[in-house]
């Protein structure tokens, strides 16, 4: 049997986190990340240099689980990392039952975040010195950076941990995640959990669309069938198996992919 952590498991949450997902977790903290405020926008930054990573948090915000710890991990690998806070409604304390999340999502289309996300990208380049930027995200954050990547020359690649691309269905109908994938302009690495939708699994419709694009040969999908949606930044790393799979996702998948394109 596939091991699942207890968490957000009601069918009403199927639009974002699938049944059996890891629920919201308090911040694991971070020692080296700095908070900066720019024109009322809150960013968390760590690292330096010309290789930038825009790390887009899940729907629970930058304080969700180990999100900021992941930023520190990327910085230690030589990346200049920025995590934007796009969720002032409930930062730093996310909802705990998923109900308010599912009400919130359809009321907040990408147009409400577009300028903030592009502003974060601009800040990373113009004020933090990044010359080339890749994106990485968790759950909701993967959908957000896919939307960003529909504009040319924004990011050079994307790494999606347990992607929630079916959020697109709230706004543009069934199967619109495929159309979103078709509109992107950079290589993508997807790291789906075992309970993530079929369309982001190997051979799924989103993956087939990505593979059909001009850069489709650079599409990569690495499934983690024994993990639950949310494990990379919210899973219980006291569990040795989960800890090992977090390490594999970051150090064998995400970081090498980012190093290949963010250079």
């Amino acid at each position: 049997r596939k091991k699942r952590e207890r968490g957000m498991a009601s069918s009403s949450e199927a639009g974002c986190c699938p049944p059996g997902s890891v629920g919201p977790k308090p911040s694991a903290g971070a020692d080296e990340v700095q908070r900066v405020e720019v024109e009322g926008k809150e960013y968390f930054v760590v690292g330096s240099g010309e290789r930038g990573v825009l790390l887009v948090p899940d729907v629970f915000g930058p304080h969700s689980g180990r999100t900021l710890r992941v930023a520190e991990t990327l910085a230690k690998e030589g990346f200049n990392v920025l995590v934007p806070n796009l969720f002032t409604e409930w930062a730093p304390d996310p909802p705990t039952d998923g109900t308010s999340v599912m009400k919130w999502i359809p009321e907040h289309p990408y147009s409400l975040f577009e300028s903030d996300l592009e502003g974060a990208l601009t800040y990373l380049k113009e004020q933090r010195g990044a010359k080339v930027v890749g994106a990485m995200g968790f759950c909701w954050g993967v959908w957000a950076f896919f939307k960003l990547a529909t504009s040319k020359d924004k990011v050079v690649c994307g790494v999606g941990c347990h992607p929630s691309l079916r959020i697109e269905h709230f706004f543009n109908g069934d199967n619109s995640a495929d159309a979103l994938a078709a509109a992107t302009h950079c290589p993508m690495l997807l790291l789906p959990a075992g309970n993530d939708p079929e369309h982001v699994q190997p051979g799924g419709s989103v993956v087939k669309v990505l593979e059909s694009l001009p850069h489709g040969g650079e599409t990569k999908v690495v499934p983690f069938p024994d993990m639950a949606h949310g494990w990379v930044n919210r899973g219980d790393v006291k569990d040795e198996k989960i800890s090992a799979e977090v390490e594999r996702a970051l150090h064998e998948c995400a970081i090498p992919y980012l190093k290949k394109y963010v250079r």
Side-chain angles (χ1 to χ4, degrees):
R1 295 177 60 187
K2 295 178 181 178
K3 186 168 183 177
R4 293 283 182 264
E5 290 190 77
R6 294 180 62 85
M8 300 169 67
S10 74
S11 60
S12 66
E13 294 157 7
C16 182
C17 299
S21 298
V22 184
K25 301 295 181 183
S27 176
D31 298 325
E32 299 173 15
V33 171
Q34 295 182 328
R35 175 189 177 276
V36 297
E37 189 170 329
V38 181
E39 297 180 351
K41 306 302 180 184
E42 185 179 46
Y43 303 144
F44 296 88
V45 298
V46 61
S48 61
E50 296 184 350
R51 298 186 300 159
V53 174
L54 181 64
L55 183 60
V56 189
D58 61 33
V59 75
F60 303 116
H63 301 285
S64 175
R66 293 185 306 282
T67 299
L68 298 181
R69 290 277 182 91
V70 172
E72 289 185 332
T73 297
L74 295 176
K76 289 175 182 177
E77 294 291 333
F79 294 107
N80 187 348
V81 188
L82 184 150
V83 185
N85 183 3
L86 304 171
F87 307 102
T88 55
E89 286 92 338
W90 51 56
D93 298 313
T96 57
D97 60 3
T99 302
S100 54
V101 172
M102 293 311 299
K103 181 178 184 295
W104 181 88
I105 286 175
E107 295 175 350
H108 291 75
Y110 180 69
S111 59
L112 297 182
F113 304 100
E114 184 173 11
S115 63
D116 288 350
L117 203 54
E118 293 197 0
L121 181 61
T122 298
Y123 180 81
L124 182 56
K125 289 181 175 181
E126 296 184 359
Q127 302 300 319
R128 297 279 300 166
K131 300 299 184 184
V132 60
V133 177
M136 180 172 170
F138 308 103
C139 314
W140 182 96
V142 183
W143 170 74
F145 81 62
F146 262 64
K147 299 291 278 189
L148 179 67
T150 62
S151 296
K152 291 183 179 180
D153 303 321
K154 296 295 184 182
V155 292
V156 297
C157 69
V159 175
C161 303
H162 27 87
S164 291
L165 296 180
R166 60 182 168 185
I167 291 172
E168 185 72 3
H169 299 174
F170 276 114
F171 307 106
N172 292 304
D174 292 346
N175 301 317
S176 56
D178 295 358
L180 172 58
T184 59
H185 292 280
C186 66
M188 299 290 188
L189 165 64
L190 300 183
L191 306 177
N195 62 331
D196 276 320
E198 288 297 323
H199 65 193
V200 294
Q201 302 287 352
S205 60
V206 164
V207 176
K208 288 181 178 178
V209 168
L210 290 173
E211 290 174 341
S212 74
L213 298 177
H215 49 267
E218 300 164 284
T219 296
K220 190 173 181 181
V221 184
V222 182
F224 287 76
D226 294 328
M227 295 293 102
H229 176 94
W231 99 93
V232 175
N233 67 320
R234 305 196 305 265
D236 183 3
V237 290
K238 293 179 181 178
D239 182 307
E240 291 184 0
K241 185 172 184 178
I242 294 173
S243 178
E245 291 292 70
V246 169
E247 289 297 305
R248 182 164 74 94
L250 294 177
H251 292 282
E252 297 183 22
C253 301
I255 291 170
Y257 198 81
L258 288 167
K259 285 184 175 181
K260 181 178 181 179
Y261 296 102
V262 185
R263 55 186 176 85

